[in-house]
Amino acid sequence: MKILTVLEVGDLGGLVAMIIGLILIVVFFFSLVIAAITKVIYESKNDKKFSSGQFWKTVLISMLIGGLISGFVCGGM
């Protein structure tokens, strides 16, 4: 008997889209936390200000790294 994958069963594209969306939302909020922690550490050591551009770049870099880790874990080694 042939083992079916999730996509071969049919009409489960919505489920796959919801799983991907959920992963993106979790990674986004996790990246916001990382950027906030980075901002607190950066501003506590210096008298410099952490600009909003730096904040969103930190969020973007964290999301990219989180996406790489997520792809590695979900896609296998």
Side-chain angles (χ1 to χ4, degrees):
M1 185 160 148
K2 185 178 176 184
I3 297 176
L4 297 176
T5 63
V6 174
L7 295 176
E8 290 175 336
V9 175
D11 291 335
L12 293 177
L15 177 67
V16 173
M18 285 185 352
I19 291 171
I20 292 171
L22 183 66
I23 290 171
L24 287 174
I25 291 170
V26 169
V27 167
F28 178 71
F29 284 117
F30 186 70
S31 297
L32 283 176
V33 170
I34 290 174
I37 292 171
T38 304
K39 179 179 179 177
V40 168
I41 291 172
Y42 182 78
E43 290 181 350
S44 70
K45 290 186 178 180
N46 300 326
D47 294 331
K48 298 179 183 177
K49 177 109 171 97
F50 199 72
S51 70
S52 68
Q54 289 174 319
F55 181 82
W56 289 112
K57 286 178 188 174
T58 306
V59 170
L60 179 65
I61 291 170
S62 298
M63 283 185 71
L64 290 172
I65 292 171
L68 286 172
I69 294 170
S70 160
F72 183 74
V73 169
C74 294
M77 293 183 186

